Amino acid sequence: FHQMSFVEEFKRLQLKQPRIALQFSQSENSDYTNYAFKNKNCYLVFGGHYNEDGLYGQYTYATKDCVDCDTTEKGELAYECTYCSNIYNCNYLFNCHTCSDCEYGFDLINCKNCFLCAGLRNNEYHIQNKPVPKEKYRMEVEKLKKAHSSDQISEELEKERIAVPHIAFVQKNCEHSVGSYIQNCKNCFYCFNMTSCEDCSYLKRANEVKDSIDCDNIGYDPSELLYESIGINGGTNFNFCFACWHSSDLEYCELVFNSHHCFGCISRNHAEYEILNIKYEKEDWFKRVAEIKQELRQPNLYGKWLLPSTYPYEDTIAPLYF
């Protein structure tokens, strides 16, 4: 190999290797899911793990009987909830945590039986941010539902939302961190949509991650020492990897599972000490990888993404975020 021949071989391998249509593992009766792990009875759930009896979910974790939810964890009997956690029997909530029996809410924490409310803490039996007697609460809620459509109620919620103060960063139980929509994080800089992460910078949508930089969509099984990687679950010491799960010591790999010490590999499972999908003896592997890295450094290629995605931009959900 010289430095360009490795890149050329890597590109050839990327185009040659078969790619799975749907990436899910250890799931039951959940065939129509993608980037999903350990789900049961789920349909059209994407980027979700440990869910049961869920429909049309995105980035849901440990939920049960939830429909049309996004970025929601540990919820049960929820519908149309976004960025919520620890909720029960709730509908149409955004940024609400530890709530039950609430509908049409924004920024509610530790609330029960609240309808059309925003910015409340430790309250119950409220409608439009005003207390209502317990015995009259259900009757008043049903009256509003019968008199107004869901869209009309949502418009009223928007009025409540803009009338309450908004915090600059949406954080919960965080220490020395800069970013928003993060929970239980420590020493995280410019991170967003994160849970239980530590010593990370420039991450988005990550759970249980440590000592990582410039990554996206990581979790939910613990990962650490990641750089410039996306779609990782249970990974350790990854550089420039895409959609690799439960592996360690990977560089420039795509769709590699249950493997370790792979360099420039595509679509592998239970592999070890491989370069471009070819197995090496352990000592030869370290020597050859060192040689390839040195060759890539000369034209300043090592430490950068070597190949574009095989998926056309218009076929991905990237336009949803960018």
Side-chain angles (χ1 to χ4, degrees):
F1 293 108
H2 58 83
Q3 65 268 23
M4 291 307 296
S5 67
F6 172 79
V7 176
E8 291 166 355
E9 284 293 308
F10 189 25
K11 180 64 176 178
R12 183 193 65 81
L13 183 65
Q14 185 193 52
L15 297 176
K16 173 186 175 182
Q17 284 297 105
R19 310 177 79 84
I20 54 180
L22 297 174
Q23 185 171 331
F24 63 88
S25 177
Q26 299 185 34
S27 297
E28 180 182 346
N29 192 32
S30 302
D31 292 345
Y32 295 95
T33 61
N34 198 16
Y35 283 95
F37 183 69
K38 283 195 174 180
N39 294 303
K40 182 179 180 181
N41 302 328
C42 290
Y43 178 73
L44 293 184
V45 170
F46 304 97
H49 306 280
Y50 300 95
N51 301 292
E52 184 175 351
D53 300 321
L55 299 172
Y56 318 118
Q58 178 175 257
Y59 304 115
T60 55
Y61 169 70
T63 65
K64 186 177 181 180
D65 298 304
C66 293
V67 177
D68 285 346
C69 290
D70 188 352
T71 319
T72 293
E73 63 176 62
K74 297 178 181 177
E76 185 173 355
L77 294 173
Y79 176 67
E80 287 280 0
C81 292
T82 302
Y83 190 70
C84 296
S85 64
N86 300 301
I87 58 174
Y88 177 81
N89 194 31
C90 294
N91 302 321
Y92 301 102
L93 301 187
F94 182 86
N95 186 29
C96 297
H97 308 277
T98 317
C99 294
S100 63
D101 302 295
C102 294
E103 290 188 271
Y104 297 97
F106 169 80
D107 189 25
L108 306 178
I109 296 180
N110 196 28
C111 292
K112 299 178 181 179
N113 294 290
C114 290
F115 185 86
L116 202 51
C117 293
L120 296 185
R121 302 289 186 271
N122 307 311
N123 288 116
E124 60 179 326
Y125 298 109
H126 275 57
I127 297 177
Q128 291 183 285
N129 279 31
K130 297 177 182 178
V132 176
K134 179 180 179 180
E135 59 274 11
K136 293 184 178 181
Y137 176 80
R138 290 295 169 197
M139 182 178 64
E140 294 297 325
V141 167
E142 291 304 318
K143 186 186 299 184
L144 283 169
K145 285 184 176 180
K146 288 181 180 179
H148 303 85
S149 68
S150 177
D151 288 342
Q152 290 173 329
I153 297 176
S154 296
E155 290 174 4
E156 290 300 315
L157 176 60
E158 179 65 10
K159 295 177 183 178
E160 298 292 338
R161 187 187 73 82
I162 63 177
V164 298
H166 290 207
I167 57 178
F169 295 112
V170 180
Q171 297 185 2
K172 181 182 180 183
N173 302 331
C174 294
E175 180 180 350
H176 298 123
S177 297
V178 175
S180 202
Y181 297 104
I182 59 177
Q183 300 184 62
N184 307 320
C185 292
K186 181 179 179 181
N187 301 329
C188 291
F189 181 73
Y190 268 57
C191 294
F192 303 88
N193 288 340
M194 310 245 297
T195 302
S196 303
C197 297
E198 185 174 349
D199 300 320
C200 296
S201 297
Y202 311 111
L203 264 65
K204 182 169 73 70
R205 289 199 183 278
N207 296 72
E208 300 281 353
V209 182
K210 291 184 178 180
D211 304 304
S212 299
I213 297 177
D214 292 341
C215 296
D216 196 349
N217 285 278
I218 313 297
Y220 288 76
D221 293 336
S223 296
E224 61 180 334
L225 297 172
L226 309 179
Y227 178 64
E228 285 278 3
S229 295
I230 184 171
I232 308 303
N233 187 29
T236 300
N237 194 28
F238 285 8
N239 295 324
F240 307 99
C241 291
F242 166 69
C244 297
W245 290 7
H246 303 116
S247 300
S248 64
D249 302 290
L250 308 183
E251 286 193 84
Y252 294 108
C253 288
E254 298 183 9
L255 297 167
V256 173
F257 308 101
N258 309 300
S259 302
H260 65 89
H261 293 91
C262 294
F263 191 95
C265 292
I266 311 287
S267 298
R268 302 295 290 149
N269 193 12
H270 297 288
E272 60 179 4
Y273 300 109
E274 292 191 359
I275 301 173
L276 296 172
N277 290 17
I278 300 173
K279 185 171 176 59
Y280 285 71
E281 293 297 326
K282 181 177 179 180
E283 296 76 11
D284 294 337
W285 185 89
F286 282 102
K287 179 180 178 181
R288 186 71 201 111
V289 167
E291 291 173 354
I292 294 173
K293 288 182 179 180
Q294 184 58 38
E295 292 166 352
L296 291 172
R297 286 190 181 99
Q298 294 177 2
N300 198 28
L301 288 178
Y302 181 68
K304 299 178 180 180
W305 276 97
L306 298 179
L307 303 178
S309 171
T310 54
Y311 302 103
Y313 181 84
E314 58 271 18
D315 288 348
T316 73
I317 61 170
L320 184 66
Y321 302 107
F322 304 101

